[in-house]
Amino acid sequence: MLAKRIIPCLDVTAGRVVKGVSFVELRDAGDPVEIARRYDEQGADELTFLDITASSDDRGIIFRIIEQVASQVFIPLTVGGGVREVGDVRNLLNAGADKVSINTSAVLNPQLVADAAGRYGSQCIVVAIDAKQVAAPTRRCEASGAGGAASLLLPQAAGFASNVSQECAGRWEVFTHGGRKATGLDVVEWAKKMQGLGAGEILLTSMDRDGQKNGFDLALTHAVTDALEIPVIASGGAGNLQHLADGVKLGGADAVLAASIFHFGEYTVQQAKQFMAQQGIEVRL
Amino acid sequence: MVDVAVVDYGMGNLRSVEQALRKVAPDDKIIVSDDARVIASARRVVFPGQGAMPDCMRELETRGLRNAVLEAARNKPFLGICIGLQMLFDHSSEGNVAGLGVLRGEVVRFAGNLRDAQGNKLKVPHMGWNRVHHAQHPLWNGIDQDARFYFVHSYYVRPQDAALVQATSDYPQPFVCAVARDNLFAVQFHPEKSQTAGLKLLQNFVQWNP
């Protein structure tokens, strides 16, 4: 049967892999080509590169990195960050990306997703969604082992809170611009819309959990994967191997994405896979 | 003399296929080409494909490459990949479009609401690494039975002739993921993205003398 995927994520700026906490406080993790090669050897199922370069002057760097990686590593490569038009999708594919991830621009111009999928196929269009909780799920939906942090992050927008009484799933809002701008969009509805426009996959990041190492937002993951036909990658918060397994078993994710637990040598991808296999999850060993 | 021509009909990214072929055949002349003459003169032809089959068929026609592909499929080592497998058949339910008709059979979509044995939802597209149960063929040399390959597709082929089938995979029911006839071999998965096993299959192809 189809294996659940483990996807190391490389946030790249100025030619280096970095890792932040809740989208800030960057820490250097090394050379992207070297790291990509290492994860490939460890059995990573795919690699995701997010170009978090602020300055447009440095945007050429990601192309050179992808070209180098693609000539050495023969697993699927997803690249995102700063994709604004179909031409950006084309340039990344030509550099050697297999999939391109679109985030902010999907919100500013949803037609970009339809155009890019129409031109290059849904299989290479990933829509990345940065989600922030605005109403907590009720306790019976909060999976065990996930840590109770989600229920502590109470909604700041009181308007959302009044709606939760009849539903247990909770509510999450889409943020853009690296998590700086609220959009007012509901994450589940937005994900469904993106599927309808031709997205082949959703990369779902919990901003509340990102860098916190207290586990994926399982209620969020479950709400989105349940609503969609296309695969969902859980992201944001993986701090140990149990978190990865929980993302699949409790969150229902088709793939799990993690950065810091691999970058700083806490675990290898192989260890993560062995752990998941022991938990009865089908993985590629 | 071109050793391997990768047919370029303008549908998406052929860079990965090219890179993987260079890796397994560093001394070969490998060309990504939309020129029917180059395809006709090449020793071997790789016929990839991404996106939707109706678009792929249209672009193939528009660029005047249909005959070059049909000719190559008849008389030289020929490797179809993904939509390049599906286009070899008579018909696809994706856009209700005719294929090249090199092989008898249909291309159909995975059913909706698929569930695995534990009742978990199975997503479409079928995306990721799945086990491939293969028959005996020179292109499987050195590849473990049930090795995993990388797939991404929503449609699969149903050949009329069971003798064509060179491999199946399960999602959750068995489906055909490789076929062969004479000089022709075609796979649903992406060998260029399937790490060791995929590179081995490509290496077997560039050394294959049917």
Side-chain angles (χ1 to χ4, degrees):
Chain A
M1 274 302 290
L2 187 65
K4 299 295 181 181
R5 290 169 281 154
I6 296 188
I7 307 175
C9 178
L10 289 69
D11 290 350
V12 178
T13 187
R16 301 290 290 178
V17 176
V18 295
K19 184 58 203 161
V21 175
S22 292
F23 289 51
V24 291
E25 296 175 42
L26 299 179
R27 177 178 166 193
D28 187 89
D31 174 64
V33 180
E34 214 170 276
I35 292 174
R37 222 168 23 213
R38 186 165 79 224
Y39 293 154
D40 174 51
E41 282 162 13
Q42 292 176 4
D45 295 310
E46 299 185 21
L47 295 173
T48 290
F49 297 81
L50 294 178
D51 181 8
I52 59 168
T53 305
S55 151
S56 56
D57 302 346
D58 291 338
R59 295 208 46 94
I61 295 173
I62 194 73
F63 292 102
R64 292 195 288 280
I65 291 169
I66 298 306
E67 280 170 10
Q68 285 184 56
V69 172
S71 65
Q72 301 173 38
V73 169
F74 298 95
I75 57 176
L77 308 175
T78 300
V79 186
V83 175
R84 290 185 183 85
E85 48 193 67
V86 174
D88 296 329
V89 175
R90 183 191 59 226
N91 291 341
L92 287 170
L93 293 176
N94 285 341
D98 300 287
K99 311 183 200 182
V100 171
S101 155
I102 306 175
N103 188 333
T104 298
S105 296
V107 174
L108 299 178
N109 174 22
Q111 186 60 30
L112 172 63
V113 173
D115 291 347
R119 184 70 189 84
Y120 297 106
S122 290
Q123 84 289 337
C124 67
I125 303 303
V126 181
V127 170
I129 301 176
D130 293 337
K132 197 173 176 64
Q133 186 179 278
V134 289
T138 56
R139 191 157 290 277
R140 66 194 164 96
C141 285
E142 181 66 29
S144 60
S151 51
L152 298 174
L153 292 160
L154 287 172
Q156 292 168 342
F160 284 111
S162 58
N163 297 329
V164 294
S165 54
Q166 75 277 21
E167 55 176 321
C168 66
R171 274 179 60 91
W172 296 266
E173 185 178 349
V174 178
F175 277 66
T176 59
H177 298 86
R180 293 189 301 276
K181 278 195 187 170
T183 64
L185 295 165
D186 176 77
V187 167
V188 172
E189 292 308 312
W190 177 245
K192 285 202 262 195
K193 181 175 178 184
M194 291 298 99
Q195 170 178 279
L197 285 180
E201 194 170 32
I202 298 292
L203 167 55
L204 179 64
T205 301
S206 163
M207 291 172 56
D208 306 306
R209 299 299 182 94
D210 188 64
Q212 300 293 329
K213 303 191 130 202
N214 57 354
F216 296 118
D217 185 337
L218 297 176
L220 165 70
T221 307
H222 207 277
V224 174
T225 195
D226 222 37
L228 299 186
E229 293 302 314
I230 58 176
V232 174
I233 305 165
S235 158
N240 61 42
L241 302 184
Q242 187 65 52
H243 291 152
L244 297 180
D246 286 348
V248 171
K249 288 182 86 167
L250 303 174
D254 302 284
V256 288
L257 182 136
S260 37
I261 65 167
F262 298 132
H263 294 342
F264 301 113
E266 285 167 69
Y267 305 100
T268 65
V269 177
Q270 190 64 19
Q271 284 173 324
K273 288 187 157 185
Q274 278 158 357
F275 182 87
M276 287 170 81
Q278 283 161 12
Q279 303 248 320
I281 298 169
E282 182 112 11
V283 289
R284 178 179 72 108
L285 285 171
Chain B
M1 182 80 181
V2 174
D3 292 297
V4 185
V6 180
V7 183
D8 177 10
Y9 48 96
M11 284 303 294
N13 174 27
L14 305 180
R15 184 71 183 261
S16 296
V17 177
E18 182 190 2
Q19 297 261 33
L21 287 166
R22 289 197 198 290
K23 172 81 176 178
V24 299
D27 300 327
D28 280 7
K29 187 170 179 191
I30 294 155
I31 287 191
V32 176
S33 178
D34 61 357
D35 184 337
R37 288 165 303 180
V38 172
I39 294 161
S41 72
R43 285 203 174 94
R44 298 165 196 279
V45 167
V46 175
F47 184 45
Q50 289 185 339
M53 182 158 146
D55 298 333
C56 289
M57 285 302 300
R58 190 193 60 232
E59 290 302 315
L60 194 69
E61 299 286 357
T62 306
R63 286 156 202 261
L65 292 172
R66 170 193 271 264
N67 286 336
V69 170
L70 288 175
E71 186 67 19
R74 265 195 297 272
N75 65 19
K76 62 182 77 171
F78 183 97
L79 178 64
I81 298 174
C82 195
I83 308 287
L85 158 73
Q86 297 180 6
M87 289 166 80
L88 297 174
F89 284 81
D90 290 319
H91 180 266
S92 176
S93 59
E94 184 175 20
N96 192 27
V97 67
L100 292 169
V102 173
L103 303 173
R104 298 282 83 78
E106 300 284 310
V107 183
V108 297
R109 196 174 203 276
F110 284 111
N113 294 315
L114 292 177
R115 303 265 160 185
D116 67 12
Q118 288 75 44
N120 299 311
K121 190 169 174 176
L122 296 178
K123 302 297 185 66
V124 177
H126 170 235
M127 184 188 286
W129 298 78
N130 208 337
R131 291 189 187 280
V132 168
H133 323 301
H134 64 73
Q136 293 291 321
H137 188 282
L139 264 68
W140 298 121
N141 284 350
I143 295 173
D144 289 345
Q145 187 57 269
D146 298 336
R148 286 187 189 274
F149 287 83
Y150 185 81
F151 289 82
V152 50
H153 63 124
S154 301
Y155 292 77
Y156 62 96
V157 298
R158 277 210 299 236
Q160 274 177 24
D161 181 1
L164 296 178
V165 177
Q166 285 298 326
T168 62
S169 187
D170 306 315
Y171 198 62
Q173 301 300 319
F175 67 91
V176 174
C177 66
V179 298
R181 189 178 74 191
D182 306 326
N183 58 301
L184 177 154
F185 198 92
V187 295
Q188 180 61 65
F189 51 79
H190 289 271
E192 76 279 13
K193 286 285 135 186
S194 298
Q195 218 203 19
T196 318
L199 292 177
K200 183 67 188 162
L201 187 137
L202 291 175
Q203 189 178 41
N204 290 339
F205 174 70
V206 298
Q207 295 170 355
W208 183 33
N209 292 305

